[in-house]
């Protein structure tokens, strides 16, 4: 991966070869694609696979015939945007994932044997089981798991201090909670890098985490269905993980003036359950210039799903960029925007002290054609779901849990 990152020609050669192999496998061995692609030869003519289509088919229709599902590692989506999707993975996917992680760590001067602290709200592992097994067999990392729900927080934080982690890893909201506890208990942590994952990283969260841990905060974008898709280098550019996934940016039905395109993925290393031209529902803008870090991997600006989530009372899309820019300017840990129905917006601010009345007036000036705007201040842990994850944006089509929307006053 070091070689492919710096040679565009070699990278495209590897990607092309893996794409041919995965197409051949899918047409021959995967029931769903065997029927769907029987008379199609050109990749760009393959129909898109949407999440709704994926949810409507039995999992076994996407699994290659020659693999025993019982011998594969299963993972599942969170179900925020609908029915949970189960994904089966083989060793080739997790080996490529480990190689990708080591490339990221190499950028900050780390290698095998690095000390990693996993921050969670449970004693259960958040790291995938195959990652832990690989760590044990190779000594890739030394692991410390901190449970934010423990009744012995001071002792746990002291142990974390003496472990002296080089990498902090966890959901963004859990890392924020750790940061507030570190300040409360006057614990010193000096990691070499902070790796948030699983949630949108707001600029507020990046500022706070960078300040409290005195370390660079490098975000990543991925999906359970495909693994890591893009990750930030030291210049905070999102580089696509092109050896592992082919990313197409497809023009939406209603073109965006800013150049937003839908992210369509083809996985290149999972030979158990490959995804060909999978429409993620996320949007991104491709960078026109190369990154100064020297890598030849394509770069994008990930927009997520906000383009399709928020509307005013006349069903017109909100000016999301202006709202996001304003929220990112606030002195809060992070924020959350929920829209149960068009014309209604509830904004939760994770903060110890913020003038919600002033924020509400500013938001009303930005979002004029709205029926109702509610601004609330909440501790970060109250914005998390039962699994400890905090969705930053939730639209009316998402599965909004009762613990998140009980305060919305719309019922």
């Amino acid at each position: 991966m070091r070689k492919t990152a710096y040679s565009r020609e070699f990278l495209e050669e590897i990607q092309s070869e893996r794409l041919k192999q995965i197409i051949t496998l899918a047409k021959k061995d995967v029931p769903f694609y065997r029927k769907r692609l029987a008379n199609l030869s050109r990749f760009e003519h393959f129909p898109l696979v949407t999440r709704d289509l994926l949810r409507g088919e039995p999992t076994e229709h996407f699994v290659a015939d020659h693999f025993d599902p019982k011998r594969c590692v299963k993972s599942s989506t969170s179900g925020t945007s609908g029915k949970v999707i189960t994904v089966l993975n083989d060793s080739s996917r997790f080996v490529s994932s480990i190689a990708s992680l080591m490339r990221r760590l190499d950028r900050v001067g780390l290698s095998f044997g690095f000390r990693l602290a996993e921050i969670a709200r449970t004693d259960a592992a958040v790291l995938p089981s195959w990652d832990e097994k690989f760590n044990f067999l190779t000594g890739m990392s030394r692991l410390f798991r901190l449970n934010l729900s423990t009744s012995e927080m001071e002792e746990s934080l002291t142990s974390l201090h003496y472990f002296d982690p080089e990498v902090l890893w966890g959901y963004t909201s859990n890392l924020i909670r750790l940061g507030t506890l570190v300040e409360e208990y006057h614990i010193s942590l000096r990691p070499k890098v902070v790796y948030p994952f699983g949630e949108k990283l707001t600029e507020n969260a990046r500022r706070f985490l960078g300040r409290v841990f005195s370390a660079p905060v490098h975000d990543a974008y991925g999906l359970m269905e495909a693994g890591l898709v893009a990750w930030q280098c030291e210049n905070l550019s999102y580089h696509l993980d092109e050896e592992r996934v082919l990313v197409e940016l497809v023009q939406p039905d209603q073109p965006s003036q800013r150049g937003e395109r839908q992210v369509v993925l083809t996985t290149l290393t999972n030979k158990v359950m490959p995804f060909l031209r999978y429409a993620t529902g996320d949007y991104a803008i491709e960078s026109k210039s190369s990154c100064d870090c020297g890598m030849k991997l394509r770069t994008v600006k990930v927009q997520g799903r906000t383009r399709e989530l928020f509307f005013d009372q006349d069903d017109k899309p909100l000016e999301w960029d202006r709202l996001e820019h304003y929220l990112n300017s606030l002195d809060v840990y992070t924020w959350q925007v929920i829209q149960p129905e068009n014309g209604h917006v509830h904004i939760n601010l994770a903060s110890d002290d913020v003038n919600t009345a002033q924020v509400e007036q500013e938001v009303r000036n930005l979002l004029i054609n709205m029926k109702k705007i509610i601004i609330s201040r909440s501790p970060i842990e109250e914005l998390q779901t039962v699994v400890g994850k905090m969705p930053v944006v939730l639209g009316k089509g998402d599965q909004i849990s009762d613990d998140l929307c009980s305060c919305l006053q719309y019922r």
Side-chain angles (χ1 to χ4, degrees):
M1 279 190 167
R2 287 194 181 112
K3 183 176 180 181
T4 53
Y6 294 97
S7 171
R8 190 71 208 171
E9 181 180 357
F10 186 53
L11 173 62
E12 291 176 352
E13 180 182 328
I14 293 293
Q15 191 179 62
S16 176
E17 182 60 30
R18 289 182 177 176
L19 179 61
K20 290 178 183 177
Q21 292 175 0
I22 213 73
I23 290 175
T24 300
L25 180 146
K27 283 187 170 184
K28 178 177 179 291
D29 294 340
V30 180
F32 176 82
Y33 293 113
R34 187 162 54 219
K35 178 180 179 181
R36 189 177 175 87
L37 307 179
N39 299 317
L40 298 175
S41 58
R42 295 179 64 87
F43 177 73
E44 59 269 26
H45 293 163
F46 291 0
L48 301 184
V49 177
T50 64
R51 285 190 173 184
D52 287 341
L53 181 60
L54 187 59
R55 295 186 187 106
E57 293 277 340
T59 300
E60 55 266 26
H61 287 186
F62 290 91
V63 178
D65 293 335
H66 58 284
F67 280 95
D68 180 359
K70 295 180 181 179
R71 297 177 61 86
C72 301
V73 178
K74 293 183 180 180
S75 55
S76 300
T77 62
S78 63
T80 301
S81 57
K83 180 183 175 183
V84 171
I85 297 172
T86 300
V87 181
L88 276 67
N89 308 274
D90 66 345
S91 59
S92 62
R93 173 179 165 179
F94 96 76
V95 169
S96 68
S97 298
I98 295 297
S100 176
L101 174 60
M102 294 311 300
R103 175 167 62 187
R104 294 177 67 193
L105 292 167
D106 184 61
R107 304 290 303 183
V108 294
L110 294 175
S111 186
F112 281 80
F114 67 94
R115 298 183 301 279
L116 181 147
E118 176 189 359
I119 313 303
R121 275 186 58 188
T122 173
D123 284 325
V126 176
L127 276 170
S129 59
W130 63 89
D131 281 359
E132 289 205 327
K133 291 175 183 176
F134 192 85
N135 288 351
F136 176 77
L137 292 172
T138 65
M140 185 185 78
S141 72
R142 286 168 282 174
L143 176 66
F144 183 101
R145 182 173 293 116
L146 177 69
N147 178 4
L148 293 173
S149 300
T150 180
S151 59
E152 300 176 344
M153 182 56 68
E154 187 168 6
E155 292 85 347
S156 296
L157 289 173
T158 300
S159 297
L160 179 61
H161 166 74
Y162 285 111
F163 178 73
D164 191 21
E166 295 171 293
V167 179
L168 290 178
W169 188 89
Y171 291 150
T172 303
S173 53
N174 285 334
L175 293 171
I176 292 173
R177 177 60 178 150
L178 174 65
T180 62
L181 291 169
V182 162
E183 292 189 319
E184 178 183 346
Y185 287 94
H186 305 288
I187 299 294
S188 176
L189 294 178
R190 290 296 179 264
K192 288 191 174 181
V193 67
V194 179
Y195 280 156
F197 81 100
E199 300 171 5
K200 178 180 175 65
L201 177 68
T202 65
E203 289 305 310
N204 322 66
R206 185 192 297 280
R207 289 194 300 269
F208 174 70
L209 294 175
R211 176 184 63 79
V212 75
F213 296 121
S214 298
V217 181
H218 292 172
D219 191 23
Y221 162 65
L223 299 88
M224 189 62 72
E225 300 94 312
L228 184 67
V229 176
W231 49 277
Q232 287 187 316
C233 67
E234 58 272 21
N235 293 334
L236 304 186
S237 298
Y238 286 89
H239 291 271
L240 295 175
D241 224 31
E242 295 188 81
E243 300 93 342
R244 302 179 55 256
V245 60
L246 173 66
V247 176
E248 301 173 78
L249 297 182
V250 177
Q251 182 75 32
D253 294 335
Q254 297 180 348
S256 165
Q257 293 181 348
R258 298 188 306 140
E260 289 177 322
R261 293 173 178 257
Q262 183 175 189
V263 177
V264 175
L265 304 177
T266 296
T267 56
L268 301 176
T269 59
N270 188 354
K271 297 179 181 178
V272 175
M273 192 173 177
F275 290 94
L276 273 61
R277 306 206 74 205
Y278 177 56
T280 64
D282 291 331
Y283 287 81
I285 301 172
E286 183 155 12
S287 303
K288 297 186 182 298
S289 58
S290 58
C291 180
D292 292 339
C293 73
M295 289 189 293
K296 304 303 180 184
L297 301 169
R298 290 163 57 202
T299 58
V300 297
K301 181 180 179 182
V302 180
Q303 303 294 303
R305 293 181 298 125
T306 55
R307 186 176 187 272
E308 295 185 342
L309 285 182
F310 300 105
F311 301 87
D312 65 16
Q313 60 183 343
D314 294 329
D315 301 330
K316 295 180 180 179
L318 297 181
E319 294 190 38
W320 173 258
D321 285 351
R322 295 178 62 193
L323 176 61
E324 183 176 28
H325 184 269
Y326 171 70
L327 295 177
N328 278 333
S329 72
L330 297 175
D331 186 18
V332 298
Y333 299 127
T334 191
W335 44 264
Q336 180 186 69
V337 181
I338 301 176
Q339 184 170 67
E341 58 182 273
N342 292 1
H344 291 188
V345 167
H346 187 113
I347 298 175
N348 291 312
L349 302 175
S351 172
D352 298 322
D353 182 23
V354 65
N355 188 332
T356 55
Q358 181 179 343
V359 172
E360 180 178 342
Q361 184 58 53
E362 294 288 349
V363 172
R364 289 189 181 279
N365 292 338
L366 291 172
L367 308 179
I368 299 174
N369 193 26
M370 301 294 290
K371 294 178 183 177
K372 184 174 291 185
I373 295 174
I374 297 177
I375 309 295
S376 299
R377 177 168 57 87
S378 307
I380 188 71
E381 57 268 28
E382 291 186 8
L383 303 182
Q384 294 177 307
T385 63
V386 291
V387 297
K389 191 172 183 179
M390 191 201 91
V392 172
V393 292
L394 284 165
K396 66 176 184 177
D398 292 327
Q399 301 299 309
I400 304 176
S401 58
D402 289 338
D403 59 325
L404 284 177
C405 64
S406 60
C407 59
L408 292 183
Q409 305 172 22
Y410 298 138
R411 298 179 176 181

